[in-house]
Amino acid sequence: MGQLTVSGRDTVYVWVGRDTGGQPDPAAVLVRRAGALLLGRAETAVVLTHDREGRPVVRVDEVEVAVSVSRTAGLVVVAARRTGAVGVDVERIRPLPALALARRWFPSTELAWLGDRPEAGRTVDFLRLWTAKEAVGKALGQGLRDGGLRRLMPPPGLPLRPAPGAKHLRVGHPHLGGGLVLAVATHAGAPVDVEVVQRPGHGVTAERSASVERTSLPVVVRGN
């Protein structure tokens, strides 16, 4: 597993592994390894649990680290941060009816923005908005409930940018490559670094944990 770069700055760390399914669960081992690295303890000492909002955390004794998990076909991604809540979401780039989906799920301002984007990159732009909404919902501890898909996002990109209407919440899109779109959200009043410690292609095995978050992107649009 990749080693952390210690810069002294507030940093969200991201790990990517193959999701082989079955037992043991690849997400849980990435969560446990992330906690061990950030807390400086053995993996066997790390406990997987949840905070009061239901967000997954890893704990050693009384010290906790916020984590978030996302899956897409064949991959699992874990984000972790030493201080403050974090959310992560990942999607594979594939053909989608981007405008039709946006018309159904997104607010009018985002639909207009998407419609003005170059057609060749519109699917990626749609996925950037979608993953940002998912990541923000996870960081808030409420997922996409209560109109999460209608929540406005800042223009996609880096660095992590303030999310409209969400105090001290920042969201952005670190480059991951491999035909993937990655979004990270975190509570922070000041800029936060993002470091991808482990990239696609690294194998991983682990045990199943109730802390794994699952997301799904609707691709069937009914009506206009």
Side-chain angles (χ1 to χ4, degrees), residues 55-218:
R55 292 171 295 211
V57 298
V58 291
R59 185 179 69 224
V60 175
D61 300 326
E62 299 303 315
V63 182
E64 294 183 346
V65 167
V67 296
S68 184
V69 180
S70 180
R71 297 177 191 263
T72 191
L75 288 178
V76 59
V77 173
V78 169
R81 181 184 176 212
R82 287 188 174 93
T83 57
V86 65
V88 70
D89 194 62
V90 65
E91 290 283 352
R92 286 195 181 275
I93 300 171
R94 72 271 193 195
L96 290 171
L99 286 180
L101 288 169
R103 189 174 297 112
R104 181 175 179 86
W105 298 107
F106 291 175
S108 58
T109 51
E110 289 180 343
L111 174 60
W113 176 84
L114 194 64
D116 288 338
R117 299 291 291 168
E119 184 176 357
R122 195 170 286 155
T123 293
V124 173
D125 288 328
F126 170 84
L127 289 173
R128 286 173 176 154
L129 288 173
W130 181 278
T131 55
K133 294 170 190 288
E134 287 268 22
V136 165
K138 291 179 181 180
L140 292 173
Q142 63 188 53
L144 295 178
R145 299 189 302 273
D146 301 322
L149 286 174
R150 297 286 177 179
R151 187 182 294 117
L152 285 173
M153 294 294 106
L158 275 180
L160 270 62
R161 305 172 185 183
K167 187 177 181 180
H168 299 318
L169 191 68
R170 292 174 177 266
V171 61
H173 294 82
H175 177 69
L176 193 57
L180 300 168
V181 172
L182 174 72
V184 171
T186 188
H187 287 280
V192 177
D193 291 341
V194 179
E195 179 180 344
V196 180
V197 183
Q198 180 169 312
R199 292 187 175 273
H202 294 240
V204 59
T205 58
E207 61 186 270
R208 177 151 305 274
S209 165
S211 70
V212 173
E213 300 167 288
R214 296 178 183 273
T215 64
S216 60
L217 176 65

Side-chain angles (χ1 to χ4, degrees), residues 36-54:
L37 281 171
L38 267 67
L39 294 170
R41 298 290 296 274
E43 292 180 30
T44 53
V46 174
V47 177
L48 280 61
T49 183
H50 295 79
D51 66 12
R52 285 177 293 183
E53 284 74 34

Side-chain angles (χ1 to χ4, degrees), residues 18 20 24-26 28-30 33 203-207:
R18 287 196 296 268
T20 55
D25 179 14
V29 75
L30 283 180
R33 288 180 181 178
V204 59
T205 58
E207 61 186 270

